[in-house]
Amino acid sequence: MLIPFNKSCTTVEHGFPHQPSALAFDPKLHLMAIGTKSGAIKVYGAPGVEFTGLHKDTTAVTQIHFLPGQGRLLSLLDDNTIHLWELVAGASRELNRNSHSLAHVSLFFFFSLSATRVTVLLLLKSCDLLCIGTEGGGVYFLELPRLLLKDNHTLPQDQVVQSLPDDYRCGKSLGPVEALQEHPQQAGKILIGYSRGLVVLWDLSSRHIGQLFLGKQQLESLVWERSGNLFVSSHNDGGYAVWPVTNGNTCNQQPVSSTIPYGPFPCKAISKILWRTTQTGGGMPRASYGDRHCLTIQQDKDHITLDFTSRVIDFFTIHSIEPDKGFDDPSALVVLLEEELVVIDLQTPGWPSLPTPYLAPLHSSAITCSCHISSVPPKLWERLVNAGKAQQGRQQAHGSWPICGGKNLAPPPKQQELLLTGHEDGTVRFWDASGVALTPLYKLSTANVFHTDCDPSDDPQDPSDDPDLQQEEEWPPFRKVGCFDPYSDDPRLGIQKITLCKYSNKLLVAGTAGQVIVLGLSDERSDHLVDVSVVDLLQDREGFTWKGHDRLEPRLKPAPFAPGFQPLVLVQCLPPASVTAVALHAEWNLISFGTSHGFGLFDYHRRNAVLARCTLHPNDSLAMEGPLSRVKSLKKSLRQSFRRIRKSRVSGKKRTITTPTSKVQEANAALAEQEEVAPVQRRIEPRSADDSLSGVVRCLCFADTFLRDGTHHGPTLWAGTNSGSVYAYALEVPGPSESSVCVEAVLGKEIQLMHRAPVVSICVLDGRGKPLPDPYEASQDLAIAPDMTNTHSVLIASEEQLKVFSLPKVSAKTKFKLTAHEGCRVRKVALVVFSSTAQEDYSEHTLVCLTNMGDMHLFNIPGLRPQVRYDCIRKEDISGIASCVFTKNGQGFYLISPSEYERFSLSAKVLTEPVCSKMSKCSLFLNGIITYYFKLLSLTQTLKNIVFFFVFFFFSCMLVPF
């Protein structure tokens, strides 16, 4: 027996960090850091290079600063504490859900300034001193790396006020320190900008004010020009001013130039401005563009205003760090937004955006479902990659990813893996989930199959096609950038279920309005009409009225479809309720789909509806009324509540009547119950037969097994419902040459679970107790053929128990009752393969159950013997439990935020985790020596000098061979 782990192992987080709040970049190591409001720090380099750390307290990270080239960074938290972190080289350790920090990032030192709130930090180029600007207007200095306060360097605001002209003081406070910038050519000279508009040039060595710049507009940020003769100040009116730095004049009242880019309007503040060869900033007229989030790029006469769909957090440029080329010719602009990361290629004309190999916004439209495909065939992978490149070709640049620091030490993946996510706007996105970096490959949209509000014919005319529109150019020149778009044109487009056959390249997508689309992969663009079939699941039953949303209207004319997955047939369920379950068997050309009203079977090759079965209970009116009817639903829920209260009162009264006979009966019943139920199992509470939504189809399954008798096997369809009903149909599937013969379905078995618990999963096991292979796997020798000589069995997992029935008699063989008194219910079930770490060719199939308590139970099959239990997801995380999806090799994904997947592994052999270093081997060696020296700084001064001498001597000897 294989025991995967003694605990659940979370390995990596995919997606965009939730609620980012700070950004930093190390120009020497080419590493980027992002801080979040939850106190997390994530460091990124080349794809696969990731480091993660979490502060002890869940407090927002407001600022991050790298110590360039050292593999260390400073973080400022909202609670006014400053932390020094160090990136530790080596493999990450295993984590459980209660541990939130990786060994890659370790806390080095810690400092707290409790007197006043910290507003801005400046790390001097020497990296031995940290300047701290505060809300009270004082400037403090910390010695690095120990974070010790240097009292003799403190600059209080009173000392600055005494140097001001009398007419500028006016009894007003200078306000908080808003900006700190060190002179680019002269170390130790610092620009200090106050909120009121005053800028002071402070000489740290002589501790006196070199020059005063008497600004009168509220200050937002400062930036030096490379020579150090000019600096730029940005202000809250959307303008910026250029100031000269001279040796003679100690008090400057007027800038060289002052500009408001878009005229005398009330403008948004320029929160940050960078002076490179390319100037970047913000500032938009609030009167006209108050709801826009913008960033402006100017270079000579070239001018563009990037219009984002979420708030700008921070940005930086990537440029050369050589002294003679400093700040010149920036190669890229990196913008951190509230919901995504955008990188602009500044070397390509037109400044297009670069595709992101990681940190892509998974939640560009809200995720509604997901599906994982393992061991993707190389041909399918290549075609998907080509389809994705064709989509990006006209929209994005093809330059290299500029954040390329560190080294990915993980071996190449042994197989390619896909993660498919369905979204609220009707799109399906394909992600490369083979490694640490979750990379977008291809996006499929189903909206063009229907008539919606976003039809291309309704779009405004392209200005390039109309000379009159060309003359009326918009100013400023806006350009929409980014892919985050949380708004759906029609909520009925939402994707609810996805399944993909990787051998036939058939994709099945089902949506919110009862639409089921079968798609095939094509490498060429196509204009064609999609075949439409309507399946009435109610079968003309009387007495029911659908009061929900209408179905989507399909297009009646050919529509254009880009290379990739293209729709072949659309099956519309009636009533148009949300699809709750789907199954695809590409070898038989069959699909099955279920809703809250029933399930259907469709032959997409012959375009023929084979079966429609209604699963509604006569009292199941909620399913018929739809989500828009509230009055009757409320009345029914109130009636049911009162009925439960009356039942409980009656049962309570009965329990108060005690007689000797009743006591004996109760004792006998308790004894019998103890004999029947194993100690590790719990009591199952029966459910009412007239519970609302009892007809919801929860799972569907195709299988080639024995249903009619024990000698003849054939295709079957299994369906499980919310009321504990299981329907098994025997199918007659004609061969490929019998194109005129239709598929037939005959009801073979109907099973009703005793306690009417919802059926979560159905799986047929062969004579060896193994799951049946997927379509085409056995016929193409891609998997071991199933054992058809011994008796088959079916594993039915409900919310309360697991049960194995023999086939074809459907007699119970074994069961395990999972229900607990505290409300435990099975939510997700999967059959996974665990491979041995000792024997390369040995593996076991295991049943994994995720409950509503967030724990996972593993059982062997078909004996259902418990193996191990994991605490995986917090029981309060309802969204995480609902979004969990398992892989076939023992891994899984679940949403920890709207934009992030947590990846975990139950297998001791299959792990996907960051294995990387922050720099090359030579740099790692030298950096380790420096680190060791810094940790010795707590010794006496004499010992410090001795250590410094030996370190210097060692460097002198070692630098020659390196």
mmCIF file of all heavy atoms in Angstrom, residues 46-77:
data_model
loop_
_atom_site.group_PDB
_atom_site.id
_atom_site.type_symbol
_atom_site.label_atom_id
_atom_site.label_comp_id
_atom_site.label_asym_id
_atom_site.label_seq_id
_atom_site.Cartn_x
_atom_site.Cartn_y
_atom_site.Cartn_z
ATOM 1 N N ALA A 46 12.882 34.951 -13.905
ATOM 2 C CA ALA A 46 12.572 34.221 -15.118
ATOM 3 C C ALA A 46 11.450 33.218 -14.827
ATOM 4 O O ALA A 46 11.218 32.857 -13.664
ATOM 5 C CB ALA A 46 13.823 33.503 -15.624
ATOM 6 N N PRO A 47 10.735 32.755 -15.849
ATOM 7 C CA PRO A 47 9.676 31.765 -15.604
ATOM 8 C C PRO A 47 10.195 30.570 -14.826
ATOM 9 O O PRO A 47 11.198 29.956 -15.193
ATOM 10 C CB PRO A 47 9.237 31.377 -17.023
ATOM 11 C CG PRO A 47 9.522 32.587 -17.847
ATOM 12 C CD PRO A 47 10.773 33.186 -17.263
ATOM 13 N N GLY A 48 9.527 30.258 -13.725
ATOM 14 C CA GLY A 48 9.956 29.182 -12.842
ATOM 15 C C GLY A 48 10.721 29.652 -11.634
ATOM 16 O O GLY A 48 10.926 28.873 -10.694
ATOM 17 N N VAL A 49 11.163 30.909 -11.623
ATOM 18 C CA VAL A 49 11.892 31.469 -10.482
ATOM 19 C C VAL A 49 10.897 32.255 -9.628
ATOM 20 O O VAL A 49 10.450 33.336 -10.019
ATOM 21 C CB VAL A 49 13.048 32.372 -10.948
ATOM 22 C CG1 VAL A 49 13.748 32.996 -9.755
ATOM 23 C CG2 VAL A 49 14.031 31.583 -11.792
ATOM 24 N N GLU A 50 10.544 31.706 -8.486
ATOM 25 C CA GLU A 50 9.580 32.341 -7.588
ATOM 26 C C GLU A 50 10.020 32.130 -6.145
ATOM 27 O O GLU A 50 10.483 31.056 -5.778
ATOM 28 C CB GLU A 50 8.173 31.767 -7.783
ATOM 29 C CG GLU A 50 7.563 32.070 -9.147
ATOM 30 C CD GLU A 50 6.118 31.635 -9.236
ATOM 31 O OE1 GLU A 50 5.538 31.303 -8.168
ATOM 32 O OE2 GLU A 50 5.571 31.618 -10.348
ATOM 33 N N PHE A 51 9.883 33.183 -5.334
ATOM 34 C CA PHE A 51 10.155 33.130 -3.906
ATOM 35 C C PHE A 51 8.955 33.750 -3.191
ATOM 36 O O PHE A 51 8.396 34.747 -3.664
ATOM 37 C CB PHE A 51 11.422 33.906 -3.543
ATOM 38 C CG PHE A 51 12.646 33.496 -4.307
ATOM 39 C CD1 PHE A 51 12.964 34.114 -5.507
ATOM 40 C CD2 PHE A 51 13.465 32.496 -3.843
ATOM 41 C CE1 PHE A 51 14.095 33.761 -6.214
ATOM 42 C CE2 PHE A 51 14.596 32.124 -4.537
ATOM 43 C CZ PHE A 51 14.918 32.752 -5.735
ATOM 44 N N THR A 52 8.576 33.168 -2.064
ATOM 45 C CA THR A 52 7.399 33.643 -1.350
ATOM 46 C C THR A 52 7.691 33.761 0.132
ATOM 47 O O THR A 52 8.360 32.901 0.708
ATOM 48 C CB THR A 52 6.209 32.686 -1.558
ATOM 49 O OG1 THR A 52 5.968 32.533 -2.944
ATOM 50 C CG2 THR A 52 4.952 33.243 -0.896
ATOM 51 N N GLY A 53 7.200 34.820 0.728
ATOM 52 C CA GLY A 53 7.311 35.005 2.172
ATOM 53 C C GLY A 53 6.065 35.679 2.707
ATOM 54 O O GLY A 53 5.352 36.362 1.967
ATOM 55 N N LEU A 54 5.786 35.476 3.978
ATOM 56 C CA LEU A 54 4.601 36.060 4.598
ATOM 57 C C LEU A 54 4.974 36.611 5.957
ATOM 58 O O LEU A 54 5.592 35.917 6.770
ATOM 59 C CB LEU A 54 3.491 35.013 4.743
ATOM 60 C CG LEU A 54 2.136 35.525 5.222
ATOM 61 C CD1 LEU A 54 1.524 36.468 4.192
ATOM 62 C CD2 LEU A 54 1.186 34.367 5.490
ATOM 63 N N HIS A 55 4.629 37.857 6.185
ATOM 64 C CA HIS A 55 4.878 38.463 7.491
ATOM 65 C C HIS A 55 4.035 37.772 8.568
ATOM 66 O O HIS A 55 2.983 37.188 8.273
ATOM 67 C CB HIS A 55 4.559 39.952 7.450
ATOM 68 C CG HIS A 55 5.494 40.738 6.581
ATOM 69 N ND1 HIS A 55 5.290 40.887 5.226
ATOM 70 C CD2 HIS A 55 6.639 41.415 6.861
ATOM 71 C CE1 HIS A 55 6.260 41.623 4.717
ATOM 72 N NE2 HIS A 55 7.091 41.962 5.679
ATOM 73 N N LYS A 56 4.514 37.857 9.753
ATOM 74 C CA LYS A 56 3.833 37.174 10.842
ATOM 75 C C LYS A 56 2.424 37.704 11.035
ATOM 76 O O LYS A 56 1.492 36.938 11.268
ATOM 77 C CB LYS A 56 4.651 37.343 12.138
ATOM 78 C CG LYS A 56 4.099 36.570 13.317
ATOM 79 C CD LYS A 56 4.998 36.714 14.544
ATOM 80 C CE LYS A 56 4.446 35.942 15.716
ATOM 81 N NZ LYS A 56 5.304 36.092 16.919
ATOM 82 N N ASP A 57 2.262 39.008 10.944
ATOM 83 C CA ASP A 57 0.945 39.620 11.089
ATOM 84 C C ASP A 57 0.343 39.883 9.711
ATOM 85 O O ASP A 57 1.051 40.245 8.766
ATOM 86 C CB ASP A 57 1.046 40.941 11.874
ATOM 87 C CG ASP A 57 1.561 40.721 13.281
ATOM 88 O OD1 ASP A 57 1.225 39.682 13.875
ATOM 89 O OD2 ASP A 57 2.321 41.578 13.762
ATOM 90 N N THR A 58 -0.967 39.710 9.613
ATOM 91 C CA THR A 58 -1.650 39.957 8.350
ATOM 92 C C THR A 58 -1.863 41.454 8.188
ATOM 93 O O THR A 58 -2.933 41.995 8.460
ATOM 94 C CB THR A 58 -2.997 39.211 8.315
ATOM 95 O OG1 THR A 58 -2.768 37.841 8.620
ATOM 96 C CG2 THR A 58 -3.635 39.316 6.937
ATOM 97 N N THR A 59 -0.800 42.140 7.799
ATOM 98 C CA THR A 59 -0.809 43.586 7.644
ATOM 99 C C THR A 59 -0.350 43.946 6.241
ATOM 100 O O THR A 59 0.534 43.294 5.688
ATOM 101 C CB THR A 59 0.122 44.248 8.681
ATOM 102 O OG1 THR A 59 -0.212 43.758 9.979
ATOM 103 C CG2 THR A 59 -0.021 45.750 8.664
ATOM 104 N N ALA A 60 -0.933 44.975 5.664
ATOM 105 C CA ALA A 60 -0.639 45.348 4.278
ATOM 106 C C ALA A 60 0.805 45.797 4.122
ATOM 107 O O ALA A 60 1.352 46.517 4.971
ATOM 108 C CB ALA A 60 -1.584 46.464 3.831
ATOM 109 N N VAL A 61 1.426 45.353 3.034
ATOM 110 C CA VAL A 61 2.766 45.807 2.660
ATOM 111 C C VAL A 61 2.600 47.091 1.854
ATOM 112 O O VAL A 61 1.982 47.098 0.797
ATOM 113 C CB VAL A 61 3.503 44.748 1.826
ATOM 114 C CG1 VAL A 61 4.895 45.235 1.436
ATOM 115 C CG2 VAL A 61 3.594 43.431 2.585
ATOM 116 N N THR A 62 3.150 48.194 2.345
ATOM 117 C CA THR A 62 2.965 49.479 1.676
ATOM 118 C C THR A 62 4.130 49.842 0.760
ATOM 119 O O THR A 62 3.942 50.556 -0.224
ATOM 120 C CB THR A 62 2.759 50.597 2.702
ATOM 121 O OG1 THR A 62 3.877 50.622 3.589
ATOM 122 C CG2 THR A 62 1.475 50.356 3.505
ATOM 123 N N GLN A 63 5.344 49.386 1.086
ATOM 124 C CA GLN A 63 6.500 49.677 0.236
ATOM 125 C C GLN A 63 7.470 48.497 0.283
ATOM 126 O O GLN A 63 7.584 47.811 1.298
ATOM 127 C CB GLN A 63 7.227 50.945 0.694
ATOM 128 C CG GLN A 63 6.446 52.233 0.497
ATOM 129 C CD GLN A 63 7.258 53.463 0.870
ATOM 130 O OE1 GLN A 63 8.434 53.560 0.512
ATOM 131 N NE2 GLN A 63 6.644 54.389 1.588
ATOM 132 N N ILE A 64 8.179 48.306 -0.853
ATOM 133 C CA ILE A 64 9.247 47.305 -0.939
ATOM 134 C C ILE A 64 10.445 47.961 -1.611
ATOM 135 O O ILE A 64 10.280 48.711 -2.577
ATOM 136 C CB ILE A 64 8.817 46.065 -1.750
ATOM 137 C CG1 ILE A 64 7.524 45.469 -1.211
ATOM 138 C CG2 ILE A 64 9.911 45.006 -1.733
ATOM 139 C CD1 ILE A 64 7.022 44.303 -2.014
ATOM 140 N N HIS A 65 11.637 47.659 -1.118
ATOM 141 C CA HIS A 65 12.868 48.183 -1.711
ATOM 142 C C HIS A 65 13.918 47.079 -1.709
ATOM 143 O O HIS A 65 14.198 46.478 -0.657
ATOM 144 C CB HIS A 65 13.386 49.397 -0.932
ATOM 145 C CG HIS A 65 12.452 50.550 -0.923
ATOM 146 N ND1 HIS A 65 12.443 51.522 -1.893
ATOM 147 C CD2 HIS A 65 11.447 50.889 -0.056
ATOM 148 C CE1 HIS A 65 11.506 52.413 -1.633
ATOM 149 N NE2 HIS A 65 10.880 52.048 -0.513
ATOM 150 N N PHE A 66 14.502 46.805 -2.875
ATOM 151 C CA PHE A 66 15.595 45.845 -2.982
ATOM 152 C C PHE A 66 16.912 46.487 -2.559
ATOM 153 O O PHE A 66 17.127 47.688 -2.792
ATOM 154 C CB PHE A 66 15.737 45.350 -4.419
ATOM 155 C CG PHE A 66 14.863 44.171 -4.745
ATOM 156 C CD1 PHE A 66 13.678 44.334 -5.443
ATOM 157 C CD2 PHE A 66 15.251 42.887 -4.364
ATOM 158 C CE1 PHE A 66 12.891 43.251 -5.747
ATOM 159 C CE2 PHE A 66 14.462 41.807 -4.672
ATOM 160 C CZ PHE A 66 13.279 41.971 -5.359
ATOM 161 N N LEU A 67 17.779 45.697 -1.960
ATOM 162 C CA LEU A 67 19.183 46.055 -1.821
ATOM 163 C C LEU A 67 19.859 45.488 -3.064
ATOM 164 O O LEU A 67 20.098 44.280 -3.139
ATOM 165 C CB LEU A 67 19.799 45.450 -0.556
ATOM 166 C CG LEU A 67 19.565 46.223 0.758
ATOM 167 C CD1 LEU A 67 18.101 46.200 1.142
ATOM 168 C CD2 LEU A 67 20.421 45.645 1.872
ATOM 169 N N PRO A 68 20.123 46.311 -4.071
ATOM 170 C CA PRO A 68 20.498 45.801 -5.397
ATOM 171 C C PRO A 68 21.687 44.848 -5.341
ATOM 172 O O PRO A 68 22.722 45.131 -4.735
ATOM 173 C CB PRO A 68 20.842 47.076 -6.183
ATOM 174 C CG PRO A 68 20.087 48.155 -5.501
ATOM 175 C CD PRO A 68 20.082 47.780 -4.047
ATOM 176 N N GLY A 69 21.503 43.695 -5.980
ATOM 177 C CA GLY A 69 22.565 42.717 -6.123
ATOM 178 C C GLY A 69 22.845 41.862 -4.909
ATOM 179 O O GLY A 69 23.693 40.975 -4.967
ATOM 180 N N GLN A 70 22.142 42.090 -3.781
ATOM 181 C CA GLN A 70 22.437 41.363 -2.553
ATOM 182 C C GLN A 70 21.447 40.244 -2.265
ATOM 183 O O GLN A 70 21.674 39.446 -1.349
ATOM 184 C CB GLN A 70 22.470 42.320 -1.357
ATOM 185 C CG GLN A 70 23.570 43.352 -1.416
ATOM 186 C CD GLN A 70 23.675 44.148 -0.122
ATOM 187 O OE1 GLN A 70 23.192 43.718 0.926
ATOM 188 N NE2 GLN A 70 24.302 45.301 -0.189
ATOM 189 N N GLY A 71 20.345 40.195 -3.002
ATOM 190 C CA GLY A 71 19.338 39.193 -2.686
ATOM 191 C C GLY A 71 18.598 39.495 -1.405
ATOM 192 O O GLY A 71 18.088 38.591 -0.744
ATOM 193 N N ARG A 72 18.533 40.756 -1.032
ATOM 194 C CA ARG A 72 17.787 41.181 0.153
ATOM 195 C C ARG A 72 16.797 42.261 -0.244
ATOM 196 O O ARG A 72 17.010 42.978 -1.221
ATOM 197 C CB ARG A 72 18.725 41.725 1.235
ATOM 198 C CG ARG A 72 19.665 40.700 1.819
ATOM 199 C CD ARG A 72 20.361 41.278 3.045
ATOM 200 N NE ARG A 72 21.299 40.326 3.605
ATOM 201 C CZ ARG A 72 22.578 40.274 3.288
ATOM 202 N NH1 ARG A 72 23.075 41.143 2.393
ATOM 203 N NH2 ARG A 72 23.384 39.382 3.829
ATOM 204 N N LEU A 73 15.753 42.407 0.569
ATOM 205 C CA LEU A 73 14.785 43.457 0.316
ATOM 206 C C LEU A 73 14.174 43.934 1.615
ATOM 207 O O LEU A 73 14.087 43.181 2.593
ATOM 208 C CB LEU A 73 13.697 42.986 -0.641
ATOM 209 C CG LEU A 73 12.890 41.745 -0.271
ATOM 210 C CD1 LEU A 73 11.437 42.106 -0.106
ATOM 211 C CD2 LEU A 73 13.027 40.686 -1.335
ATOM 212 N N LEU A 74 13.779 45.194 1.609
ATOM 213 C CA LEU A 74 13.132 45.835 2.747
ATOM 214 C C LEU A 74 11.646 45.942 2.487
ATOM 215 O O LEU A 74 11.222 46.233 1.369
ATOM 216 C CB LEU A 74 13.713 47.231 2.975
ATOM 217 C CG LEU A 74 15.152 47.319 3.473
ATOM 218 C CD1 LEU A 74 15.723 48.693 3.145
ATOM 219 C CD2 LEU A 74 15.210 47.056 4.970
ATOM 220 N N SER A 75 10.865 45.731 3.515
ATOM 221 C CA SER A 75 9.414 45.887 3.398
ATOM 222 C C SER A 75 8.909 46.794 4.509
ATOM 223 O O SER A 75 9.329 46.678 5.665
ATOM 224 C CB SER A 75 8.716 44.529 3.462
ATOM 225 O OG SER A 75 8.946 43.901 4.716
ATOM 226 N N LEU A 76 8.033 47.699 4.130
ATOM 227 C CA LEU A 76 7.361 48.583 5.080
ATOM 228 C C LEU A 76 5.910 48.164 5.160
ATOM 229 O O LEU A 76 5.224 48.069 4.134
ATOM 230 C CB LEU A 76 7.474 50.046 4.632
ATOM 231 C CG LEU A 76 6.649 51.067 5.416
ATOM 232 C CD1 LEU A 76 7.107 51.159 6.864
ATOM 233 C CD2 LEU A 76 6.689 52.433 4.746
ATOM 234 N N LEU A 77 5.437 47.920 6.374
ATOM 235 C CA LEU A 77 4.065 47.482 6.579
ATOM 236 C C LEU A 77 3.185 48.634 7.051
ATOM 237 O O LEU A 77 3.676 49.674 7.494
ATOM 238 C CB LEU A 77 4.004 46.341 7.600
ATOM 239 C CG LEU A 77 4.812 45.079 7.286
ATOM 240 C CD1 LEU A 77 4.471 43.981 8.280
ATOM 241 C CD2 LEU A 77 4.561 44.607 5.870
#
